[in-house]
Amino acid sequence: MIRLLIADDEDLIRGALTALLELEEDLTVAAEAATSTDAVRLAREHKPDIAVLDLEMPPTDGLRAAQEIRAESSIKIILVTRHARPGALRRALSVGVSGFVPKTTPATRLAEIIRDVAAGRRYVDPDIAASALTEDDCPLSDRELEVLRASRTGASIREIAAQVHLAPGTVRNYLSAAMSKLGVSSRHAAAHRAWEEGWI
C-alpha cells in the first residue's frame, strides 16, 4: 500500500483528489493539509511514502514545503500546479522533487504517476519540460531578484532594506527597475511574476 499526504489550500480540490485516489486499491491517504506549514508538520507525523503538494499553497509555497520535507526525510514529492512555469520546474528538480504535474492531470493518470514515483522513477509533464527547454533567460539582476524575494513576504521598504543590507532609496531603485523590466505596476506584481517564472 502506498501511503499519501495530500496538500492543497483549496478544500474542494483536496477533498476530490483524496476521494478519487482512495478508490485505487493500492493507494491510501494518510493525511491532508491545507497549508505548506501543515504539510511539513503532517509529513513529520505520518511519514507517508509520497507527498502530493500544491505549488501555490500559502503561507510560503509547495516548493518550500518540499524542500523542508526532503531535508529531513526520504519522502518522495509530487508537485501539482495550475501555473507550470519552467523556472519552477528547475527549482523543483534541484530540491529533489520526483514528479511535476499540472492540475489538469486526470486522477487515474496521477495514480499511475504516483506508482511510478513510488517505484523510484521521476515524472515531468512533457509540456512543462518542453517549455523549460525554450525558456528565456531572466532579465533581472541578482540584486533585483534579492529585493523581490524579500518583498514577497509583504515587508515594507524599510524592512526589505534592513533584510538585504541596503539603503531604502536603493531598494526602491531596484524594485522600480525590476517593475519596469517586467512591465508591471507594483512590486507585489513583480515579485509574483518572478516567483511564477521560478527566478526567486
Side-chain angles (χ1 to χ4, degrees):
M1 187 68 81
I2 301 168
R3 298 174 69 253
L4 305 173
L5 162 65
I6 306 294
D8 194 303
D9 60 319
E10 296 178 59
D11 293 346
L12 186 63
I13 291 174
R14 188 178 67 252
L17 193 54
T18 296
L20 289 166
L21 291 174
E22 282 278 5
L23 295 174
E24 303 288 329
E25 286 182 11
D26 56 342
L27 305 180
T28 185
V29 177
E32 294 180 47
T35 67
S36 55
T37 312
D38 283 347
V40 174
R41 180 179 59 79
L42 291 169
R44 269 187 210 119
E45 287 177 19
H46 293 271
K47 297 180 175 42
D49 300 304
I50 297 175
V52 181
L53 309 177
D54 177 24
L55 181 62
E56 296 91 15
M57 203 175 18
T60 53
D61 57 48
L63 195 52
R64 177 69 61 82
Q67 204 166 356
E68 290 181 36
I69 291 167
R70 292 290 299 165
E72 56 188 55
S73 74
S74 59
I75 295 167
K76 293 182 169 73
I77 309 286
I78 296 174
L79 281 179
V80 183
T81 180
R82 184 174 282 119
H83 307 289
R85 300 286 187 177
L89 168 61
R90 278 205 310 275
R91 283 204 328 255
L93 294 176
S94 74
V95 301
V97 167
S98 300
F100 202 92
V101 299
K103 279 197 171 177
T104 52
T105 305
T108 51
R109 177 68 187 117
L110 180 59
E112 292 169 9
I113 293 165
I114 287 169
R115 290 182 191 105
D116 283 347
V117 166
R121 292 187 285 276
R122 272 187 166 180
Y123 177 84
V124 176
D125 177 73
D127 291 338
I128 299 171
S131 65
L133 294 171
T134 58
E135 182 193 29
D136 293 333
D137 289 332
C138 173
L140 304 176
S141 71
D142 288 344
R143 276 299 204 180
E144 287 161 356
L145 291 170
E146 185 180 20
V147 295
L148 286 179
R149 191 176 295 113
S151 75
R152 271 204 81 215
T153 61
S156 68
I157 296 287
R158 190 169 297 284
E159 289 166 336
I160 295 168
Q163 190 177 331
V164 299
H165 310 292
L166 293 171
T170 308
V171 167
R172 278 193 195 88
N173 290 342
Y174 280 127
L175 289 171
S176 178
M179 286 158 49
S180 176
K181 287 178 183 178
L182 298 178
V184 295
S185 59
S186 76
R187 70 176 189 252
H188 303 296
H192 186 68
R193 166 85 193 280
W195 178 82
E196 276 193 335
E197 294 289 353
W199 300 329
I200 60 174

